[in-house]
Amino acid sequence: MSLLKIENMWVSYGNIRALKGINLVVNEGEVVSLIGANGAGKTTTLQAISGLLPIADGKVYFKDADITNEKSFKRTRMGIAQVPEGRRVFKGLSVEDNLTLGSISTDESEESDKAEMKKIYELFPVLEERKAQKAGTLSGGEQQMLAMGRALMTRPEVLLLDEPSMGLSPLFVDVIFDTIKYLKSEGRTILLVEQNANLALDVADRGYVLETGKIVKEGLASDLKTDPDVKAAYLGV
Ligand SMILES: Nc1ncnc2c1ncn2[C@@H]1O[C@H](COP(=O)(O)OP(=O)(O)OP(=O)(O)O)[C@@H](O)[C@H]1O
Ligand SMILES: [Mg+2]
């Protein structure tokens, strides 16, 4: 079953056309990578899916239901969670409070929230060590873990990750991609936006290539990795 389906989606900022009729599908249990250069429209795509940006034309479906006109908080409730570019944790709040905020949009019981938080601490032990610390004092990599943890607290059915490895040291890049692999092994569904196309295609089942607001290529990640155009433009070979 497709969890997410985007049909002919157009998004503009004033008279700048950022997305020009894109089509994209994410099936249950898949990791799908969306790759593209700076300004291609990757963040715009995720923002439009999570309802943070209005779309000019097209449709967004979640589990075959048309959610094009649903508000952002409703989409979160339905199970769409975005981890934004630049993490955007609440810097003045503690690590644990940041996680708790993720669960506010759900109807889960306190016990269930506690159990979920325990799982997140198992996934990212450093967050438990620092649970009382203000989020703004965490390193970039730790803030990325916290942003992912907060999204997991919303009990998502699909996770939208926007450049999770951006600006991180190689060690943290590894941690983040290991986490994505782990989440995939749990059967989770992920739409991953990355400029690090090599890593993004390594972890993904399928991928899409976005160029100035249009999908120019799509396919199995393994095929994209060996595609001469993709290699030349995005894989640094
Ligand atoms: N708030 C905005 N106002 C006007 N134009 C915008 C705005 N946000 C994005 N754009 C433009 O829309 C296009 C797509 O931007 P977007 O942020 O989606 O790209 P991106 O692929 O995420 O890039 P990056 O890799 O740098 O994060 C760009 O041309 C950008 O300049
Ligand atoms: Mg972006």
Side-chain angles (χ1 to χ4, degrees):
M1 180 175 70
S2 82
L3 264 194
L4 265 184
K5 190 164 84 186
I6 285 103
E7 264 177 23
N8 185 35
M9 183 163 77
W10 292 72
V11 176
S12 295
Y13 298 99
N15 50 20
I16 298 169
R17 288 182 164 174
L19 295 179
K20 304 166 200 164
I22 70 165
N23 294 291
L24 183 151
V25 170
V26 182
N27 295 308
E28 199 170 354
E30 269 188 325
V31 175
V32 173
S33 285
L34 180 62
I35 61 176
N38 286 122
K42 304 181 299 295
T43 296
T44 303
T45 303
L46 296 194
Q47 302 277 82
I49 293 171
S50 52
L52 296 169
L53 268 179
I55 73 176
D57 198 6
K59 295 271 185 210
V60 181
Y61 297 93
F62 179 64
K63 295 181 175 171
D64 296 334
D66 183 349
I67 60 161
T68 313
N69 297 312
E70 291 290 1
K71 295 221 160 43
S72 167
F73 75 91
K74 280 215 169 159
R75 298 189 198 194
T76 309
R77 257 177 191 270
M78 286 174 175
I80 300 175
Q82 190 181 353
V83 180
E85 192 172 352
R87 359 274 188 215
R88 306 261 184 91
V89 297
F90 296 100
K91 294 196 156 89
L93 297 181
S94 71
V95 166
E96 187 139 309
D97 286 348
N98 267 273
L99 291 177
T100 302
L101 277 177
S103 61
I104 273 180
S105 67
T106 73
D107 295 323
E108 303 286 336
S109 67
E110 220 170 295
E111 292 76 61
S112 163
D113 285 344
K114 278 207 181 114
E116 191 65 25
M117 201 177 286
K118 188 159 169 272
K119 282 207 278 187
I120 290 163
Y121 284 149
E122 278 161 16
L123 190 56
F124 303 119
V126 68
L127 294 183
E128 182 161 35
E129 287 162 25
R130 285 152 203 237
K131 64 183 176 188
Q133 197 169 312
K134 285 211 165 78
T137 64
L138 298 178
S139 74
E142 291 160 355
Q143 288 188 25
Q144 184 61 46
M145 295 176 203
L146 180 55
M148 289 171 83
R150 186 181 57 190
L152 291 172
M153 286 298 290
T154 71
R155 318 300 207 279
E157 292 195 52
V158 57
L159 264 178
L160 313 175
L161 304 179
D162 196 349
E163 309 264 12
S165 78
M166 189 168 56
L168 302 185
S169 65
L171 182 72
F172 274 124
V173 172
D174 284 350
V175 171
I176 295 303
F177 273 90
D178 284 349
T179 304
I180 295 170
K181 281 178 206 151
Y182 172 75
L183 294 172
K184 176 178 160 65
S185 77
E186 280 191 314
R188 297 210 188 235
T189 309
I190 299 174
L191 176 57
L192 171 67
V193 158
E194 264 288 337
Q195 278 194 43
N196 192 329
N198 264 309
L199 289 175
L201 292 177
D202 279 344
V203 73
D205 299 297
R206 290 187 304 114
Y208 292 83
V209 180
L210 192 59
E211 266 175 35
T212 55
K214 284 188 177 161
I215 303 281
V216 294
K217 221 157 235 177
E218 63 179 278
L220 292 175
S222 52
D223 290 341
L224 289 175
K225 272 210 88 165
T226 56
D227 180 288
D229 296 338
V230 174
K231 275 164 91 172
Y234 301 104
L235 301 179
V237 267

